[in-house]
Amino acid sequence: MEDPDYVPVGPMYRNANAFHRSYLEMEKQFKIFVYKEGDPPVFHNGPCKSIYAKEGNFIHMVEINKRFRTGDPRKAHVFFLPFSVAMMVQFVYVRDSHDFGPIKRTVIDYIDVVASKYPYWNRSLGADHFMLACHDWGPEASFAVPHLQRNSIRVLCNANTSEGFDPSKDVSFPEVNLHTGAISGLIGGPSPSHRSILAFFAGGLHGPIRPILLQHWENKDEDVKVHRYLPRGVSYYDMMRRSKFCICPSGYEVASPRVVEAIYTGCVPVLISDHYVPPFSDVLNWRSFSVEVTVREIPNLKTILASISSRQYIRMQRRVAQVRRHFEVHSPPKRYDVFHMILHSVWLRRLN
C-alpha cells in the first residue's frame, strides 16, 4: 500500500483501507467516454466563477484529462453527458417564466441525439451514463427523461432524498463558490486556541430553515454570532477563521457553499438540513469531523455545541484539516482532490 502522495487513514473514513485500494484501482482502470455532440455554451461548457463553478470546472477537466478520458467507447466504463444546467438556465430558460419546459426539451433532445447515433444509451437504458449539475434545478432537468432519473448516475449538489436523490446510485458533490475561479486566499485558518467565537453564521433569509435560526439566535448571544448582514468592515472569512463551529443551514435547496468554506478555513461545520446526503459520504464519516443538528434542535444549538469537550473539538478540527484535500479545487487536478473524489464516487457506483 505504498503511495507517494497520501495514504488515507483515520476515523474520517468509513474504511480507509478499502477507499485507498479502490482509489488506486480507479487510477489504473477507469475510463470515461464524453459525447462530442452539442455546442457551447450549453454543452461542453459551464460557469467557472460562481456558486455553480464546479459544473464548468468538472466539464473542462474531464474533457482535457488524458488518464481517464477515452476516445474509444468500447473501453469506457461510463459515458458522460456534458451539458450544464446552469448554462441552460442562462441561455434556454425564459427568465421569471417558471416554465421548466425549454430546459427539459433540451435534455430530451440531447439524449435522443446520442441514443440514435450510438448504441450505448439504449443498451443499458442509461445505467452506465452520468450527468453532473450543481444548479438547484439539476434534479428537475433529470426528470425530463425517466431513464435518466431512474437509471443514470446523477452527480448533484442538490442531493435531497425527499426529491428523489438515491444515495445508492446518485452522487452528492460539494457546492464550491469560486469567486475568482481559484481557491487561493480561501485556504487555512488558526489553531483552536486562537478561535474565540463558539459559532458563527451570516446570511440572508433564504428557504425555510434560516428564518428559524435567525429568530432564535440573531444578535442574541455573544458566543453564537448569527447575523443576517455582517457589520460594515467585518470580513466573512475572518469571522469563520475566528470561530470554532460554522453553522451551515440549507437554503431553498439542501446544499450550501458554507460547508466547503468552513472546511477551507478550518472551522468545524454544523449541518442543519433535512433530507441532505453530505458529499462523498460513502467514503467519508461526516460524524467524525462535523456536527449534524436537526431543525427542531435549533433552539438548543448553544447547548449542543458547548457540550462538545475541548479534547473532542480539537480532534474534530484536526480531522477537518485532514479531509480538506478532498474538497480542494485545483487546475490541473491533484490526486485525492474534489475532481478525483467525484470520479471515485462515479467509479464506485459503476462497480455496484
Side-chain angles (χ1 to χ4, degrees), residues 135-187:
H135 196 278
D136 296 350
W137 296 349
E140 193 70 38
S142 75
F143 298 161
V145 180
H147 289 317
L148 179 61
Q149 178 197 351
R150 206 162 40 235
N151 300 340
S152 300
I153 300 166
R154 299 179 305 156
V155 184
L156 303 171
C157 285
N158 188 8
N160 186 338
T161 55
S162 74
E163 295 177 3
F165 182 88
D166 177 359
S168 67
K169 81 165 185 69
D170 297 327
V171 172
S172 172
F173 80 108
E175 203 165 74
V176 186
N177 194 356
L178 295 177
H179 302 283
T180 64
I183 59 171
S184 51
L186 303 179
I187 300 289

Side-chain angles (χ1 to χ4, degrees), residues 287-307:
R287 290 189 172 181
S288 74
F289 61 89
S290 70
V291 180
E292 291 185 21
V293 174
T294 63
V295 176
R296 68 173 181 273
E297 291 175 315
I298 287 174
N300 305 322
L301 196 55
K302 183 174 180 179
T303 306
I304 292 166
L305 298 179
S307 69

Side-chain angles (χ1 to χ4, degrees), residues 82-117:
F83 58 75
S84 166
V85 175
M87 296 312 251
M88 287 185 197
V89 173
Q90 190 173 337
F91 291 101
V92 177
Y93 174 71
V94 179
R95 191 171 180 181
D96 298 325
S97 68
H98 308 290
D99 177 14
F100 290 115
I103 291 175
K104 290 186 172 183
R105 282 192 295 277
T106 304
V107 176
I108 291 167
D109 289 349
Y110 189 70
I111 289 178
D112 281 348
V113 166
V114 299
S116 61
K117 190 169 178 180

Side-chain angles (χ1 to χ4, degrees), residues 112-126:
D112 281 348
V113 166
V114 299
S116 61
K117 190 169 178 180
Y118 304 90
Y120 309 108
W121 175 272
N122 294 325
R123 181 182 68 183
S124 69
L125 297 180

Side-chain angles (χ1 to χ4, degrees), residues 283-343:
V283 166
L284 298 179
N285 174 19
W286 279 80
R287 290 189 172 181
S288 74
F289 61 89
S290 70
V291 180
E292 291 185 21
V293 174
T294 63
V295 176
R296 68 173 181 273
E297 291 175 315
I298 287 174
N300 305 322
L301 196 55
K302 183 174 180 179
T303 306
I304 292 166
L305 298 179
S307 69
I308 296 170
S309 68
S310 298
R311 191 174 174 185
Q312 178 62 8
Y313 166 72
I314 289 167
R315 273 200 213 105
M316 294 176 86
Q317 203 264 352
R318 195 174 293 142
R319 291 166 190 164
V320 166
Q322 286 174 284
V323 299
R324 190 177 71 202
R325 72 173 64 241
H326 302 314
F327 296 87
E328 291 179 4
V329 180
H330 296 290
S331 183
K334 295 181 180 178
R335 297 179 74 217
Y336 296 100
D337 69 359
V338 71
F339 173 76
H340 288 92
M341 290 298 285
I342 293 169
L343 289 187

Side-chain angles (χ1 to χ4, degrees), residues 52-263:
Y52 307 125
K54 278 309 298 165
E55 274 190 30
N57 182 278
F58 182 87
I59 290 169
H60 175 65
M61 290 305 173
V62 83
E63 292 205 322
I64 64 170
N65 193 281
K66 289 185 170 65
R67 166 174 263 166
F68 297 108
R69 185 175 180 180
T70 178
D72 184 351
R74 294 168 300 176
K75 293 180 179 175
H77 298 96
V78 289
F79 297 80
F80 180 46
L81 301 161
F83 58 75
S84 166
V85 175
M87 296 312 251
M88 287 185 197
V89 173
Q90 190 173 337
F91 291 101
V92 177
Y93 174 71
V94 179
R95 191 171 180 181
D96 298 325
S97 68
H98 308 290
D99 177 14
F100 290 115
I103 291 175
K104 290 186 172 183
R105 282 192 295 277
T106 304
V107 176
I108 291 167
D109 289 349
Y110 189 70
I111 289 178
D112 281 348
V113 166
V114 299
S116 61
K117 190 169 178 180
Y118 304 90
Y120 309 108
W121 175 272
N122 294 325
R123 181 182 68 183
S124 69
L125 297 180
D128 53 1
H129 286 59
F130 77 100
M131 60 165 280
L132 177 138
C134 204
H135 196 278
D136 296 350
W137 296 349
E140 193 70 38
S142 75
F143 298 161
V145 180
H147 289 317
L148 179 61
Q149 178 197 351
R150 206 162 40 235
N151 300 340
S152 300
I153 300 166
R154 299 179 305 156
V155 184
L156 303 171
C157 285
N158 188 8
N160 186 338
T161 55
S162 74
E163 295 177 3
F165 182 88
D166 177 359
S168 67
K169 81 165 185 69
D170 297 327
V171 172
S172 172
F173 80 108
E175 203 165 74
V176 186
N177 194 356
L178 295 177
H179 302 283
T180 64
I183 59 171
S184 51
L186 303 179
I187 300 289
S191 65
S193 60
H194 290 89
R195 294 175 180 267
S196 56
I197 301 165
L198 177 66
F200 166 69
F201 169 79
L205 291 174
H206 189 263
I209 296 175
R210 295 183 193 181
I212 301 169
L213 178 68
L214 289 161
Q215 176 196 334
H216 283 282
W217 294 105
E218 187 178 13
N219 301 321
K220 301 256 176 83
D221 194 292
E222 276 302 301
D223 295 324
V224 181
K225 293 192 178 293
V226 171
H227 304 273
R228 196 170 312 196
Y229 304 106
L230 276 175
R232 188 182 294 276
V234 177
S235 161
Y236 176 75
Y237 288 102
D238 282 351
M239 289 294 287
M240 283 193 142
R241 291 186 175 99
R242 290 171 53 203
S243 302
K244 290 181 168 68
F245 297 95
C246 288
I247 302 166
C248 308
S250 292
Y252 284 112
E253 303 299 347
V254 290
S256 168
R258 283 174 179 76
V259 177
V260 171
E261 289 165 349
I263 290 169

